[in-house]
Amino acid sequence: MDSLGVKISALIAGLGIGGIAIALAAQTILGDLFSCFIIFFDRPFVTGDFIIIGEFKGTVDKIGLKTTRLISLGGEQLIFSNTDLTNSRIRNYKRMDRRRIVFEFGVIYQTTLTQLKKIPQIVEEIITQIPETTFDRAHFASYGDFSLNFEVVYYVNDRDYNKYMNIQQEINFQIKETFEKEGIEFAYPTQTLFLSNENKK
């Protein structure tokens, strides 16, 4: 080959670089394949589960040898390498037995002490009588810039998101209705300006 004008050193160097490239490509492929077996046997998720990986979320559509495909809430397909998935923190909402809900609301500073003390009891009674909910707590939590703030915690004893939204909507309706009867007003951002007349003597 040398007599034919082939530079042996360049050929050997090229073969070495090509071998390294092939080895790296094979390593990636084998890594994804191994991750596929981990997903198959460990089952952190299965087809049909709703999962969140970082800022991405969707329903598992297909688990392949190299990639896993999700359908996002917007309808587009998200494709992840299996290695990325096994190296990530995955939140699987399909495995959730019940949903913990925290929500807040504020009332105006003119609310009387008697009315303030009634609010936690009002909220508890509303949530307790709604099926498939478990009341946890309701507290006068803080003094805000323009409102007296309450924090409420309860559980929806079902993983279905639409059911949670229906329950939260019903709670909101009933709180609004009861507050109107009790003369309790919700707060909204306001400012009080104090003006002085410098020309007044």
Side-chain angles (χ1 to χ4, degrees), residues 28-41 44-48 51 59-70 77-86:
T28 302
I29 294 171
L30 290 174
D32 288 330
L33 182 61
F34 182 70
S35 295
C36 175
F37 287 119
I38 292 175
I39 293 171
F40 179 77
F41 289 107
F45 54 83
V46 296
T47 301
I51 63 175
T59 301
V60 179
D61 181 48
K62 182 180 179 181
I63 302 172
L65 293 177
K66 180 169 173 45
T67 63
T68 293
R69 305 184 181 201
L70 276 63
Q77 189 178 69
L78 304 174
I79 302 173
F80 298 88
S81 73
N82 290 329
T83 301
D84 285 344
L85 291 177
T86 54

Side-chain angles (χ1 to χ4, degrees), residues 111-119 184:
T111 307
T112 67
L113 180 59
T114 301
Q115 289 173 320
L116 288 175
K117 290 182 177 180
K118 282 184 179 180
I119 290 175
I184 300 171

Side-chain angles (χ1 to χ4, degrees), residues 110-179:
Q110 288 77 11
T111 307
T112 67
L113 180 59
T114 301
Q115 289 173 320
L116 288 175
K117 290 182 177 180
K118 282 184 179 180
I119 290 175
Q121 182 180 355
I122 290 171
V123 175
E124 180 177 359
E125 289 175 354
I126 289 172
I127 294 176
T128 301
Q129 56 86 30
I130 295 178
E132 297 192 75
T133 63
T134 301
F135 176 80
D136 186 4
R137 62 179 178 81
H139 290 100
F140 174 22
S142 64
Y143 293 92
D145 292 336
F146 54 84
S147 62
L148 304 172
N149 299 321
F150 285 79
E151 183 178 83
V152 180
V153 180
Y154 72 98
Y155 293 89
V156 175
N157 303 320
D158 193 289
R159 68 171 66 96
D160 185 81
Y161 185 80
N162 287 334
K163 182 171 289 186
Y164 147 62
M165 287 302 298
N166 289 336
I167 289 173
Q168 184 63 58
Q169 177 177 252
E170 181 61 26
I171 290 171
N172 290 339
F173 284 152
Q174 292 197 34
I175 289 176
K176 174 69 172 172
E177 181 181 4
T178 307
F179 279 17

